[in-house]
Amino acid sequence: ETGVTQTPRHLVMGMTNKKSLKCEQHLGHNAMYWYKQSAKKPLELMFVYNFKEQTENNSVPSRFSPECPNSSHLFLHLHTLQPEDSALYLCASSQGSVLAGFGGRETQYFGPGTRLLVL
Amino acid sequence: GIQVEQSPPDLILQEGANSTLRCNFSDSVNNLQWFHQNPWGQLINLFYIPSGTKQNGRLSATTVATERYSLLYISSSQTTDSGVYFCAVPSNTGKLIFGQGTTLQVKP
């Protein structure tokens, strides 16, 4: 148990569906992240939030919409996804993030992931 | 940008054997992390090791920052060690850049 939880753990959706992934961290961290892990590829950073403000959007298509209502919760809203969006989506948190001046020194703690299948 | 290469890409061990996983990176870094991704997908931090050597049970890691590599040692491997091992370093903007991983299978 890393202190970062994600729900649901598995999700199957059609291309016309709208769904949301939820991440919650119980570590008192200020930064939260969404990563995508596709088969046979390294983890790709999607979004970074620091103190609830989005500080990075790594050229992610608009069919992925993040929301960070507070420092403990992070959502990823999904709509009109494509089959190639099927992947493991991982949430992470850290004490600080780049713009807080930590420059990557902070350890990131990952949740268990949501395995998404788009049909 | 910074490149991260891990070797070997795949490794099969008999239970009880020892192994060494390597991570090379192309630029100087102020942080390096090793992760284990279990067969269910969960990514677990193993070490935060910008330099020097750390040990945690049967696992230890050494980073030689001046030579831009890090090693992860697994001793007396167990079937529960199976999974993918990633190293990650921050880019100059602080984003974590992950290697491709080493897939380890430990056979009973």
Side-chain angles (χ1 to χ4, degrees), chain A residues 3-20:
Chain A
V4 181
T5 59
Q6 288 185 243
T7 55
R9 296 293 305 276
H10 301 271
L11 179 61
V12 180
M13 59 187 288
M15 290 189 285
T16 58
N17 291 156
K18 289 184 181 181
K19 297 286 184 182
S20 295

Side-chain angles (χ1 to χ4, degrees), chain A:
Chain A
E1 181 61 47
T2 62
V4 181
T5 59
Q6 288 185 243
T7 55
R9 296 293 305 276
H10 301 271
L11 179 61
V12 180
M13 59 187 288
M15 290 189 285
T16 58
N17 291 156
K18 289 184 181 181
K19 297 286 184 182
S20 295
L21 310 185
K22 179 182 176 182
C23 176
E24 184 174 359
Q25 58 95 1
H26 312 274
L27 301 168
H29 288 165
N30 297 310
M32 297 186 77
Y33 311 78
W34 279 117
Y35 287 86
K36 176 184 178 182
Q37 186 179 27
S38 304
K40 305 295 183 185
K41 289 185 180 180
L43 274 80
E44 303 169 55
L45 180 66
M46 299 175 73
F47 300 104
V48 180
Y49 276 83
N50 191 40
F51 292 97
K52 303 188 298 178
E53 298 297 321
Q54 187 180 129
T55 58
E56 181 132 6
N57 174 341
N58 201 25
S59 303
V60 180
S62 59
R63 56 186 184 269
F64 295 91
S65 174
E67 178 191 359
C68 188
N70 54 62
S71 293
S72 299
H73 294 86
L74 185 63
F75 295 89
L76 188 62
H77 303 300
L78 316 171
H79 63 98
T80 59
L81 294 192
Q82 304 298 310
E84 59 264 29
D85 296 322
S86 299
L88 178 68
Y89 289 84
L90 289 158
C91 172
S93 73
S94 65
Q95 183 60 46
S97 77
V98 176
L99 292 189
F102 292 97
R105 295 184 180 90
E106 292 299 303
T107 300
Q108 292 187 23
Y109 296 86
F110 283 79
T114 294
R115 198 166 292 279
L116 173 66
L117 177 62
V118 182
L119 300 176

Side-chain angles (χ1 to χ4, degrees), chain B residues 22-90:
Chain B
R22 187 176 180 104
C23 173
N24 292 331
F25 41 96
S26 61
D27 206 350
S28 58
V29 297
N30 56 24
N31 181 8
L32 185 141
Q33 294 181 236
W34 280 100
F35 296 89
H36 174 220
Q37 189 170 36
N38 65 25
W40 298 272
Q42 187 163 14
L43 211 60
I44 305 294
N45 285 54
L46 297 177
F47 294 101
Y48 162 67
I49 183 164
S51 63
T53 297
K54 288 187 178 179
Q55 180 148 10
N56 184 1
R58 296 180 296 103
L59 301 181
S60 66
T62 295
T63 296
V64 184
T66 52
E67 297 187 24
R68 300 180 186 172
Y69 73 89
S70 183
L71 303 173
L72 178 69
Y73 305 95
I74 305 174
S75 64
S76 305
S77 59
Q78 300 176 358
T79 55
T80 51
D81 295 330
S82 296
V84 185
Y85 290 81
F86 292 100
C87 67
V89 299

